[in-house]
PDB file of all heavy atoms in Angstrom:
ATOM      1  N   PRO A   1      96.558  42.283  -0.334  1.00 95.00           N
ATOM      2  CA  PRO A   1      95.720  41.112  -0.663  1.00 95.00           C
ATOM      3  C   PRO A   1      95.623  40.088   0.472  1.00 95.00           C
ATOM      4  O   PRO A   1      94.567  39.478   0.663  1.00 95.00           O
ATOM      5  CB  PRO A   1      96.405  40.513  -1.889  1.00 95.00           C
ATOM      6  CG  PRO A   1      97.095  41.662  -2.526  1.00 95.00           C
ATOM      7  CD  PRO A   1      97.546  42.544  -1.388  1.00 95.00           C
ATOM      8  N   GLN A   2      96.709  39.914   1.236  1.00 97.00           N
ATOM      9  CA  GLN A   2      96.639  38.951   2.341  1.00 97.00           C
ATOM     10  C   GLN A   2      95.672  39.428   3.426  1.00 97.00           C
ATOM     11  O   GLN A   2      94.962  38.623   4.020  1.00 97.00           O
ATOM     12  CB  GLN A   2      98.034  38.714   2.935  1.00 97.00           C
ATOM     13  CG  GLN A   2      98.075  37.586   3.936  1.00 97.00           C
ATOM     14  CD  GLN A   2      97.561  36.263   3.370  1.00 97.00           C
ATOM     15  OE1 GLN A   2      97.763  35.936   2.205  1.00 97.00           O
ATOM     16  NE2 GLN A   2      96.867  35.499   4.188  1.00 97.00           N
ATOM     17  N   THR A   3      95.629  40.738   3.650  1.00 97.00           N
ATOM     18  CA  THR A   3      94.660  41.294   4.604  1.00 97.00           C
ATOM     19  C   THR A   3      93.245  41.051   4.106  1.00 97.00           C
ATOM     20  O   THR A   3      92.356  40.666   4.879  1.00 97.00           O
ATOM     21  CB  THR A   3      94.909  42.806   4.802  1.00 97.00           C
ATOM     22  OG1 THR A   3      96.245  42.998   5.250  1.00 97.00           O
ATOM     23  CG2 THR A   3      93.943  43.400   5.804  1.00 97.00           C
ATOM     24  N   ALA A   4      93.047  41.245   2.811  1.00 96.00           N
ATOM     25  CA  ALA A   4      91.719  40.985   2.228  1.00 96.00           C
ATOM     26  C   ALA A   4      91.355  39.511   2.377  1.00 96.00           C
ATOM     27  O   ALA A   4      90.218  39.182   2.732  1.00 96.00           O
ATOM     28  CB  ALA A   4      91.701  41.395   0.758  1.00 96.00           C
ATOM     29  N   ARG A   5      92.300  38.610   2.112  1.00 97.00           N
ATOM     30  CA  ARG A   5      92.031  37.172   2.245  1.00 97.00           C
ATOM     31  C   ARG A   5      91.624  36.829   3.681  1.00 97.00           C
ATOM     32  O   ARG A   5      90.686  36.065   3.910  1.00 97.00           O
ATOM     33  CB  ARG A   5      93.257  36.355   1.855  1.00 97.00           C
ATOM     34  CG  ARG A   5      93.441  36.199   0.390  1.00 97.00           C
ATOM     35  CD  ARG A   5      94.619  35.265   0.057  1.00 97.00           C
ATOM     36  NE  ARG A   5      94.996  35.458  -1.318  1.00 97.00           N
ATOM     37  CZ  ARG A   5      95.872  36.351  -1.763  1.00 97.00           C
ATOM     38  NH1 ARG A   5      96.510  37.132  -0.906  1.00 97.00           N
ATOM     39  NH2 ARG A   5      96.139  36.463  -3.043  1.00 97.00           N
ATOM     40  N   LYS A   6      92.340  37.406   4.636  1.00 97.00           N
ATOM     41  CA  LYS A   6      92.032  37.142   6.046  1.00 97.00           C
ATOM     42  C   LYS A   6      90.620  37.612   6.383  1.00 97.00           C
ATOM     43  O   LYS A   6      89.847  36.898   7.021  1.00 97.00           O
ATOM     44  CB  LYS A   6      93.059  37.849   6.937  1.00 97.00           C
ATOM     45  CG  LYS A   6      92.865  37.640   8.413  1.00 97.00           C
ATOM     46  CD  LYS A   6      93.919  38.379   9.210  1.00 97.00           C
ATOM     47  CE  LYS A   6      93.630  38.278  10.692  1.00 97.00           C
ATOM     48  NZ  LYS A   6      94.586  39.060  11.485  1.00 97.00           N
ATOM     49  N   ARG A   7      90.282  38.814   5.945  1.00 96.00           N
ATOM     50  CA  ARG A   7      88.932  39.341   6.206  1.00 96.00           C
ATOM     51  C   ARG A   7      87.868  38.498   5.503  1.00 96.00           C
ATOM     52  O   ARG A   7      86.802  38.237   6.066  1.00 96.00           O
ATOM     53  CB  ARG A   7      88.825  40.789   5.746  1.00 96.00           C
ATOM     54  CG  ARG A   7      89.601  41.766   6.600  1.00 96.00           C
ATOM     55  CD  ARG A   7      89.343  43.175   6.125  1.00 96.00           C
ATOM     56  NE  ARG A   7      90.236  44.142   6.714  1.00 96.00           N
ATOM     57  CZ  ARG A   7      90.232  45.429   6.392  1.00 96.00           C
ATOM     58  NH1 ARG A   7      89.376  45.888   5.491  1.00 96.00           N
ATOM     59  NH2 ARG A   7      91.068  46.248   6.966  1.00 96.00           N
ATOM     60  N   LEU A   8      88.140  38.095   4.263  1.00 96.00           N
ATOM     61  CA  LEU A   8      87.168  37.297   3.516  1.00 96.00           C
ATOM     62  C   LEU A   8      86.947  35.942   4.179  1.00 96.00           C
ATOM     63  O   LEU A   8      85.809  35.445   4.231  1.00 96.00           O
ATOM     64  CB  LEU A   8      87.609  37.137   2.060  1.00 96.00           C
ATOM     65  CG  LEU A   8      87.572  38.423   1.232  1.00 96.00           C
ATOM     66  CD1 LEU A   8      88.214  38.195  -0.135  1.00 96.00           C
ATOM     67  CD2 LEU A   8      86.148  38.935   1.087  1.00 96.00           C
ATOM     68  N   ARG A   9      88.001  35.337   4.700  1.00 96.00           N
ATOM     69  CA  ARG A   9      87.840  34.064   5.426  1.00 96.00           C
ATOM     70  C   ARG A   9      86.998  34.282   6.678  1.00 96.00           C
ATOM     71  O   ARG A   9      86.131  33.469   7.003  1.00 96.00           O
ATOM     72  CB  ARG A   9      89.208  33.478   5.795  1.00 96.00           C
ATOM     73  CG  ARG A   9      89.901  32.789   4.646  1.00 96.00           C
ATOM     74  CD  ARG A   9      91.095  31.964   5.116  1.00 96.00           C
ATOM     75  NE  ARG A   9      92.121  32.753   5.794  1.00 96.00           N
ATOM     76  CZ  ARG A   9      93.144  33.347   5.187  1.00 96.00           C
ATOM     77  NH1 ARG A   9      93.313  33.221   3.879  1.00 96.00           N
ATOM     78  NH2 ARG A   9      94.033  34.038   5.888  1.00 96.00           N
ATOM     79  N   HIS A  10      87.263  35.395   7.371  1.00 96.00           N
ATOM     80  CA  HIS A  10      86.484  35.707   8.573  1.00 96.00           C
ATOM     81  C   HIS A  10      85.004  35.897   8.215  1.00 96.00           C
ATOM     82  O   HIS A  10      84.118  35.392   8.916  1.00 96.00           O
ATOM     83  CB  HIS A  10      87.058  36.952   9.248  1.00 96.00           C
ATOM     84  CG  HIS A  10      86.548  37.185  10.626  1.00 96.00           C
ATOM     85  ND1 HIS A  10      86.983  38.201  11.418  1.00 96.00           N
ATOM     86  CD2 HIS A  10      85.622  36.543  11.372  1.00 96.00           C
ATOM     87  CE1 HIS A  10      86.345  38.187  12.573  1.00 96.00           C
ATOM     88  NE2 HIS A  10      85.513  37.186  12.564  1.00 96.00           N
ATOM     89  N   LEU A  11      84.746  36.620   7.132  1.00 96.00           N
ATOM     90  CA  LEU A  11      83.355  36.817   6.691  1.00 96.00           C
ATOM     91  C   LEU A  11      82.698  35.492   6.333  1.00 96.00           C
ATOM     92  O   LEU A  11      81.525  35.262   6.654  1.00 96.00           O
ATOM     93  CB  LEU A  11      83.309  37.768   5.495  1.00 96.00           C
ATOM     94  CG  LEU A  11      83.553  39.247   5.801  1.00 96.00           C
ATOM     95  CD1 LEU A  11      83.761  40.031   4.510  1.00 96.00           C
ATOM     96  CD2 LEU A  11      82.413  39.828   6.618  1.00 96.00           C
ATOM     97  N   ASP A  12      83.435  34.605   5.668  1.00 95.00           N
ATOM     98  CA  ASP A  12      82.876  33.314   5.284  1.00 95.00           C
ATOM     99  C   ASP A  12      82.479  32.510   6.519  1.00 95.00           C
ATOM    100  O   ASP A  12      81.419  31.876   6.540  1.00 95.00           O
ATOM    101  CB  ASP A  12      83.878  32.544   4.426  1.00 95.00           C
ATOM    102  CG  ASP A  12      83.225  31.374   3.716  1.00 95.00           C
ATOM    103  OD1 ASP A  12      82.127  31.570   3.136  1.00 95.00           O
ATOM    104  OD2 ASP A  12      83.799  30.266   3.740  1.00 95.00           O
ATOM    105  N   VAL A  13      83.304  32.581   7.564  1.00 95.00           N
ATOM    106  CA  VAL A  13      82.976  31.880   8.810  1.00 95.00           C
ATOM    107  C   VAL A  13      81.765  32.540   9.476  1.00 95.00           C
ATOM    108  O   VAL A  13      80.826  31.853   9.894  1.00 95.00           O
ATOM    109  CB  VAL A  13      84.192  31.862   9.763  1.00 95.00           C
ATOM    110  CG1 VAL A  13      83.799  31.395  11.149  1.00 95.00           C
ATOM    111  CG2 VAL A  13      85.302  30.984   9.191  1.00 95.00           C
ATOM    112  N   LEU A  14      81.789  33.868   9.578  1.00 94.00           N
ATOM    113  CA  LEU A  14      80.681  34.582  10.229  1.00 94.00           C
ATOM    114  C   LEU A  14      79.347  34.309   9.545  1.00 94.00           C
ATOM    115  O   LEU A  14      78.322  34.152  10.210  1.00 94.00           O
ATOM    116  CB  LEU A  14      80.941  36.092  10.229  1.00 94.00           C
ATOM    117  CG  LEU A  14      81.900  36.629  11.272  1.00 94.00           C
ATOM    118  CD1 LEU A  14      82.165  38.105  11.023  1.00 94.00           C
ATOM    119  CD2 LEU A  14      81.346  36.432  12.673  1.00 94.00           C
ATOM    120  N   PHE A  15      79.366  34.280   8.222  1.00 94.00           N
ATOM    121  CA  PHE A  15      78.119  34.101   7.479  1.00 94.00           C
ATOM    122  C   PHE A  15      77.881  32.646   7.096  1.00 94.00           C
ATOM    123  O   PHE A  15      77.004  32.352   6.285  1.00 94.00           O
ATOM    124  CB  PHE A  15      78.095  35.012   6.248  1.00 94.00           C
ATOM    125  CG  PHE A  15      77.983  36.466   6.607  1.00 94.00           C
ATOM    126  CD1 PHE A  15      79.039  37.327   6.419  1.00 94.00           C
ATOM    127  CD2 PHE A  15      76.811  36.969   7.154  1.00 94.00           C
ATOM    128  CE1 PHE A  15      78.946  38.666   6.758  1.00 94.00           C
ATOM    129  CE2 PHE A  15      76.697  38.304   7.500  1.00 94.00           C
ATOM    130  CZ  PHE A  15      77.764  39.152   7.307  1.00 94.00           C
ATOM    131  N   ASP A  16      78.642  31.755   7.691  1.00 93.00           N
ATOM    132  CA  ASP A  16      78.421  30.309   7.571  1.00 93.00           C
ATOM    133  C   ASP A  16      78.312  29.844   6.115  1.00 93.00           C
ATOM    134  O   ASP A  16      77.412  29.090   5.756  1.00 93.00           O
ATOM    135  CB  ASP A  16      77.166  29.920   8.363  1.00 93.00           C
ATOM    136  CG  ASP A  16      77.092  28.437   8.643  1.00 93.00           C
ATOM    137  OD1 ASP A  16      78.154  27.786   8.707  1.00 93.00           O
ATOM    138  OD2 ASP A  16      75.964  27.927   8.790  1.00 93.00           O
ATOM    139  N   GLY A  17      79.212  30.347   5.269  1.00 88.00           N
ATOM    140  CA  GLY A  17      79.260  29.910   3.883  1.00 88.00           C
ATOM    141  C   GLY A  17      78.178  30.490   2.974  1.00 88.00           C
ATOM    142  O   GLY A  17      78.101  30.135   1.799  1.00 88.00           O
ATOM    143  N   ARG A  18      77.353  31.394   3.499  1.00 92.00           N
ATOM    144  CA  ARG A  18      76.251  31.935   2.687  1.00 92.00           C
ATOM    145  C   ARG A  18      76.694  32.953   1.651  1.00 92.00           C
ATOM    146  O   ARG A  18      75.898  33.390   0.822  1.00 92.00           O
ATOM    147  CB  ARG A  18      75.182  32.567   3.590  1.00 92.00           C
ATOM    148  CG  ARG A  18      74.462  31.529   4.437  1.00 92.00           C
ATOM    149  CD  ARG A  18      73.415  32.145   5.318  1.00 92.00           C
ATOM    150  NE  ARG A  18      74.075  33.025   6.286  1.00 92.00           N
ATOM    151  CZ  ARG A  18      73.459  33.973   6.969  1.00 92.00           C
ATOM    152  NH1 ARG A  18      72.188  34.206   6.792  1.00 92.00           N
ATOM    153  NH2 ARG A  18      74.115  34.718   7.836  1.00 92.00           N
ATOM    154  N   LEU A  19      77.977  33.344   1.653  1.00 91.00           N
ATOM    155  CA  LEU A  19      78.453  34.332   0.678  1.00 91.00           C
ATOM    156  C   LEU A  19      78.370  33.816  -0.757  1.00 91.00           C
ATOM    157  O   LEU A  19      78.390  34.605  -1.696  1.00 91.00           O
ATOM    158  CB  LEU A  19      79.892  34.751   1.002  1.00 91.00           C
ATOM    159  CG  LEU A  19      80.064  35.538   2.298  1.00 91.00           C
ATOM    160  CD1 LEU A  19      81.537  35.790   2.572  1.00 91.00           C
ATOM    161  CD2 LEU A  19      79.301  36.842   2.238  1.00 91.00           C
ATOM    162  N   ALA A  20      78.250  32.530  -0.929  1.00 89.00           N
ATOM    163  CA  ALA A  20      78.115  31.949  -2.271  1.00 89.00           C
ATOM    164  C   ALA A  20      76.670  31.964  -2.756  1.00 89.00           C
ATOM    165  O   ALA A  20      76.413  31.725  -3.935  1.00 89.00           O
ATOM    166  CB  ALA A  20      78.651  30.517  -2.277  1.00 89.00           C
ATOM    167  N   ASP A  21      75.722  32.262  -1.886  1.00 90.00           N
ATOM    168  CA  ASP A  21      74.301  32.262  -2.227  1.00 90.00           C
ATOM    169  C   ASP A  21      73.905  33.618  -2.815  1.00 90.00           C
ATOM    170  O   ASP A  21      73.984  34.636  -2.119  1.00 90.00           O
ATOM    171  CB  ASP A  21      73.483  31.968  -0.972  1.00 90.00           C
ATOM    172  CG  ASP A  21      71.989  32.072  -1.175  1.00 90.00           C
ATOM    173  OD1 ASP A  21      71.528  32.033  -2.331  1.00 90.00           O
ATOM    174  OD2 ASP A  21      71.264  32.195  -0.155  1.00 90.00           O
ATOM    175  N   PRO A  22      73.467  33.648  -4.094  1.00 90.00           N
ATOM    176  CA  PRO A  22      73.097  34.935  -4.710  1.00 90.00           C
ATOM    177  C   PRO A  22      71.995  35.670  -3.943  1.00 90.00           C
ATOM    178  O   PRO A  22      72.033  36.897  -3.840  1.00 90.00           O
ATOM    179  CB  PRO A  22      72.614  34.543  -6.099  1.00 90.00           C
ATOM    180  CG  PRO A  22      73.206  33.206  -6.356  1.00 90.00           C
ATOM    181  CD  PRO A  22      73.346  32.537  -5.018  1.00 90.00           C
ATOM    182  N   GLY A  23      71.040  34.955  -3.397  1.00 88.00           N
ATOM    183  CA  GLY A  23      69.973  35.595  -2.624  1.00 88.00           C
ATOM    184  C   GLY A  23      70.509  36.287  -1.386  1.00 88.00           C
ATOM    185  O   GLY A  23      70.114  37.409  -1.068  1.00 88.00           O
ATOM    186  N   PHE A  24      71.415  35.619  -0.691  1.00 91.00           N
ATOM    187  CA  PHE A  24      72.020  36.232   0.484  1.00 91.00           C
ATOM    188  C   PHE A  24      72.840  37.448   0.095  1.00 91.00           C
ATOM    189  O   PHE A  24      72.783  38.487   0.769  1.00 91.00           O
ATOM    190  CB  PHE A  24      72.900  35.236   1.244  1.00 91.00           C
ATOM    191  CG  PHE A  24      73.641  35.884   2.380  1.00 91.00           C
ATOM    192  CD1 PHE A  24      72.998  36.147   3.579  1.00 91.00           C
ATOM    193  CD2 PHE A  24      74.959  36.281   2.229  1.00 91.00           C
ATOM    194  CE1 PHE A  24      73.663  36.780   4.608  1.00 91.00           C
ATOM    195  CE2 PHE A  24      75.636  36.917   3.262  1.00 91.00           C
ATOM    196  CZ  PHE A  24      74.983  37.162   4.457  1.00 91.00           C
ATOM    197  N   ARG A  25      73.611  37.347  -0.983  1.00 92.00           N
ATOM    198  CA  ARG A  25      74.434  38.477  -1.415  1.00 92.00           C
ATOM    199  C   ARG A  25      73.557  39.682  -1.738  1.00 92.00           C
ATOM    200  O   ARG A  25      73.890  40.813  -1.390  1.00 92.00           O
ATOM    201  CB  ARG A  25      75.294  38.092  -2.621  1.00 92.00           C
ATOM    202  CG  ARG A  25      76.419  37.145  -2.248  1.00 92.00           C
ATOM    203  CD  ARG A  25      77.481  37.037  -3.326  1.00 92.00           C
ATOM    204  NE  ARG A  25      76.974  36.870  -4.665  1.00 92.00           N
ATOM    205  CZ  ARG A  25      76.764  35.701  -5.269  1.00 92.00           C
ATOM    206  NH1 ARG A  25      77.048  34.583  -4.632  1.00 92.00           N
ATOM    207  NH2 ARG A  25      76.319  35.657  -6.499  1.00 92.00           N
ATOM    208  N   PHE A  26      72.422  39.452  -2.399  1.00 90.00           N
ATOM    209  CA  PHE A  26      71.492  40.536  -2.718  1.00 90.00           C
ATOM    210  C   PHE A  26      70.978  41.188  -1.428  1.00 90.00           C
ATOM    211  O   PHE A  26      70.998  42.412  -1.287  1.00 90.00           O
ATOM    212  CB  PHE A  26      70.341  40.001  -3.559  1.00 90.00           C
ATOM    213  CG  PHE A  26      69.266  41.008  -3.844  1.00 90.00           C
ATOM    214  CD1 PHE A  26      69.495  42.053  -4.728  1.00 90.00           C
ATOM    215  CD2 PHE A  26      68.035  40.924  -3.220  1.00 90.00           C
ATOM    216  CE1 PHE A  26      68.506  42.991  -4.986  1.00 90.00           C
ATOM    217  CE2 PHE A  26      67.049  41.853  -3.471  1.00 90.00           C
ATOM    218  CZ  PHE A  26      67.283  42.887  -4.359  1.00 90.00           C
ATOM    219  N   GLU A  27      70.528  40.367  -0.492  1.00 88.00           N
ATOM    220  CA  GLU A  27      70.016  40.913   0.773  1.00 88.00           C
ATOM    221  C   GLU A  27      71.105  41.652   1.545  1.00 88.00           C
ATOM    222  O   GLU A  27      70.850  42.701   2.136  1.00 88.00           O
ATOM    223  CB  GLU A  27      69.432  39.788   1.632  1.00 88.00           C
ATOM    224  CG  GLU A  27      68.117  39.264   1.119  1.00 88.00           C
ATOM    225  CD  GLU A  27      67.525  38.195   2.019  1.00 88.00           C
ATOM    226  OE1 GLU A  27      68.166  37.801   3.023  1.00 88.00           O
ATOM    227  OE2 GLU A  27      66.418  37.743   1.717  1.00 88.00           O
ATOM    228  N   ALA A  28      72.309  41.101   1.547  1.00 92.00           N
ATOM    229  CA  ALA A  28      73.408  41.748   2.269  1.00 92.00           C
ATOM    230  C   ALA A  28      73.740  43.099   1.653  1.00 92.00           C
ATOM    231  O   ALA A  28      73.986  44.074   2.373  1.00 92.00           O
ATOM    232  CB  ALA A  28      74.641  40.841   2.279  1.00 92.00           C
ATOM    233  N   LEU A  29      73.731  43.174   0.333  1.00 91.00           N
ATOM    234  CA  LEU A  29      74.019  44.440  -0.330  1.00 91.00           C
ATOM    235  C   LEU A  29      72.928  45.467  -0.024  1.00 91.00           C
ATOM    236  O   LEU A  29      73.221  46.630   0.263  1.00 91.00           O
ATOM    237  CB  LEU A  29      74.162  44.234  -1.841  1.00 91.00           C
ATOM    238  CG  LEU A  29      74.752  45.383  -2.626  1.00 91.00           C
ATOM    239  CD1 LEU A  29      76.089  45.832  -2.054  1.00 91.00           C
ATOM    240  CD2 LEU A  29      74.926  44.977  -4.073  1.00 91.00           C
ATOM    241  N   LEU A  30      71.668  45.053  -0.044  1.00 88.00           N
ATOM    242  CA  LEU A  30      70.578  45.959   0.340  1.00 88.00           C
ATOM    243  C   LEU A  30      70.744  46.424   1.776  1.00 88.00           C
ATOM    244  O   LEU A  30      70.561  47.601   2.085  1.00 88.00           O
ATOM    245  CB  LEU A  30      69.224  45.260   0.190  1.00 88.00           C
ATOM    246  CG  LEU A  30      68.639  45.152  -1.201  1.00 88.00           C
ATOM    247  CD1 LEU A  30      67.328  44.374  -1.156  1.00 88.00           C
ATOM    248  CD2 LEU A  30      68.404  46.518  -1.803  1.00 88.00           C
ATOM    249  N   ALA A  31      71.076  45.493   2.657  1.00 89.00           N
ATOM    250  CA  ALA A  31      71.219  45.834   4.076  1.00 89.00           C
ATOM    251  C   ALA A  31      72.383  46.802   4.278  1.00 89.00           C
ATOM    252  O   ALA A  31      72.262  47.770   5.036  1.00 89.00           O
ATOM    253  CB  ALA A  31      71.430  44.569   4.898  1.00 89.00           C
ATOM    254  N   LEU A  32      73.495  46.571   3.605  1.00 92.00           N
ATOM    255  CA  LEU A  32      74.639  47.483   3.728  1.00 92.00           C
ATOM    256  C   LEU A  32      74.289  48.867   3.216  1.00 92.00           C
ATOM    257  O   LEU A  32      74.634  49.879   3.827  1.00 92.00           O
ATOM    258  CB  LEU A  32      75.844  46.923   2.955  1.00 92.00           C
ATOM    259  CG  LEU A  32      76.548  45.730   3.595  1.00 92.00           C
ATOM    260  CD1 LEU A  32      77.480  45.071   2.591  1.00 92.00           C
ATOM    261  CD2 LEU A  32      77.310  46.167   4.836  1.00 92.00           C
TER     262      LEU A  32
END
């Protein structure tokens, strides 16, 4: 879990807080 937390914090920084935006999450899932 600590590894996951570290990665999730890194993702939050990389995506500039957009992980909370449902529209962004939808687009990111499509892109992945």
